[in-house]
Amino acid sequence: MTNEIASPTEESGFLVAALYHFVSVPRFAELRAPLQALCEENGVRGTLLLAHEGINGTIAGRAAGIRTVLAFLRSQPEFAGLEHKESHAADMPFLRMKVRLKKEIVTMGVEDIDPTRSVGTYVAPADWNALISDPDTIVIDTRNDYETAIGMFKGAVDPNTKTFREFPDWVRENTGLHNKPKIAMYCTGGIRCEKATAFMKEQGFDEVYHLKGGILKYLEEIPQEESLWEGACFVFDERVSVMHGLEEGEHRLCRACRHPLTPDDIASPLYEAGVSCPHCHDTRSEDDRLRFRQRQKQMDLARQRGERHLGK
């Protein structure tokens, strides 16, 4: 991670900052209004979550606006050590700015999991290949199935979870995870692994490791010719996916089910923009499709007027 902000190039357009910080913030609700106002004043969009346990989110804007928001956050005593990861987007990847108050900044649903008290061992991207290539290591992807569908580390175990809340039960049910001494875990930006590794240690796993900075930091730092990453990394904004060097990927998002789509998915006869895709076509009724077509029509009309439809 870095605290330095590079100016986006003319081609990239917008700077995207992904951040999280686990820390006790009893006054988190007080920060919502000033943070929302500051982001809006500086043309910054995205989502930031505030909770007793810290902050999490991704924001995008011009470099000066992002710099202002991050400086404000680091001026708060709780977030003085905040780190972030950078990437770029050709177009603004968010429609609006939302600062939300939550019970957890990443929802696992297990009481008393505190990454500030117990957490796995961080592994830098430069050391990650050696760890996951070790035959004594089980590599676990802590993301959800729609994310793992478009990319994973070579040899990683996919829990096939729909939500992060399912992960603890998956661990409890898979007793074979104890068959090897080392557990290596990874996620998009690192935050899910903070809680996942803390949970694993509570379950009796001793050697638990996680990729510092997540997939995003790995794709930023590790040359493609040395990489053990296969596919693309799903991101929660309008870019949909990124590749090595954090270049924008070729995926689109199904507006009906929010599943990332490959060019082959888009070429499928089951794909209709804003209405259905091969992943959800058979689960939708004709009433659903009619409703989605009306929404897509409004989006198309807004685009013709040079506007962005917020129902997107």
Side-chain angles (χ1 to χ4, degrees):
M1 291 189 190
T2 178
N3 288 342
E4 296 297 323
I5 296 179
S7 297
T9 63
E10 289 183 3
E11 290 79 15
S12 64
F14 292 90
L15 184 65
V16 183
L19 58 96
Y20 74 85
H21 191 64
F22 280 98
V23 65
S24 177
V25 194
R27 64 185 187 102
F28 72 99
E30 300 172 14
L31 296 174
R32 182 191 174 280
L35 186 53
Q36 177 80 38
L38 184 68
C39 289
E40 292 177 354
E41 289 167 8
N42 286 275
V44 171
R45 298 179 186 175
T47 300
L48 290 172
L49 307 180
L50 292 167
H52 278 286
E53 65 181 11
I55 188 170
N56 174 33
T58 304
I59 53 177
R62 301 302 181 184
I66 296 294
R67 184 180 298 114
T68 299
V69 173
L70 292 177
F72 168 78
L73 287 172
R74 293 188 178 113
S75 72
Q76 310 304 309
E78 298 91 341
F79 302 137
L82 177 71
E83 296 181 337
H84 73 279
K85 293 178 291 295
E86 299 173 6
S87 57
H88 295 100
D91 301 309
M92 168 54 82
F94 297 105
L95 297 176
R96 56 179 76 82
M97 184 65 220
K98 297 174 285 188
V99 181
R100 292 178 169 173
L101 304 181
K102 305 287 283 187
K103 183 179 179 181
E104 299 176 81
I105 58 174
V106 58
T107 304
M108 187 184 218
V110 178
E111 296 292 334
D112 300 323
I113 294 295
D114 184 0
T116 65
R117 184 180 65 238
S118 174
V119 73
T121 301
Y122 294 107
V123 178
D127 301 320
W128 183 249
N129 286 358
L131 174 64
I132 68 173
S133 299
D134 185 338
D136 285 335
T137 302
I138 295 177
V139 187
I140 302 174
D141 193 317
T142 67
R143 300 172 305 151
N144 298 322
D145 56 3
Y146 59 91
E147 299 169 82
T148 60
I150 64 170
M152 293 176 63
F153 277 106
K154 184 178 181 179
V157 176
D158 182 1
N160 289 303
T161 54
K162 298 293 184 185
T163 72
F164 192 40
R165 284 181 174 273
E166 296 176 9
F167 183 77
D169 285 339
W170 178 83
V171 171
R172 296 184 186 106
E173 292 166 4
N174 283 270
T175 56
L177 296 176
H178 288 274
N179 291 345
K180 293 185 179 182
K182 300 177 184 178
I183 298 288
M185 312 177 79
Y186 67 89
C187 57
T188 307
I191 185 169
R192 264 181 275 196
C193 287
E194 299 278 356
K195 284 197 170 180
T197 59
F199 174 77
M200 296 296 278
K201 290 181 77 68
E202 287 202 355
Q203 296 299 301
F205 295 89
D206 295 323
E207 289 193 69
V208 183
Y209 303 88
H210 52 138
L211 178 58
K212 186 171 177 59
I215 304 163
L216 295 180
K217 198 63 176 174
Y218 183 92
L219 294 180
E220 177 187 347
E221 293 188 358
I222 304 302
Q224 186 168 357
E225 60 271 19
E226 299 175 14
S227 176
L228 295 180
W229 176 260
E230 299 177 334
C233 177
F234 181 86
V235 290
F236 294 87
D237 58 58
E238 292 298 313
R239 293 173 298 171
V240 185
S241 68
V242 295
M243 310 291 289
H244 283 90
L246 300 183
E247 296 292 328
E248 292 186 40
E250 60 183 358
H251 294 84
R252 298 183 192 173
L253 202 65
C254 175
R255 302 298 172 184
C257 69
R258 311 298 292 178
H259 198 286
L261 305 176
T262 65
D264 286 345
D265 289 331
I266 294 168
S268 166
L270 300 181
Y271 173 73
E272 183 179 346
V275 178
S276 67
C277 75
H279 302 282
C280 68
H281 181 273
D282 293 341
T283 68
R284 302 295 184 182
S285 67
E286 282 305 317
D287 286 343
D288 290 334
R289 283 191 267 275
L290 179 60
R291 187 172 70 256
F292 293 154
R293 287 190 186 101
Q294 290 298 320
R295 180 184 62 183
Q296 185 64 34
K297 180 179 179 180
Q298 294 304 314
M299 289 169 57
D300 292 340
L301 290 173
R303 190 177 299 111
Q304 292 172 15
R305 296 192 299 266
E307 302 170 356
R308 299 187 76 179
H309 189 270
L310 294 184
K312 197 174 177 182

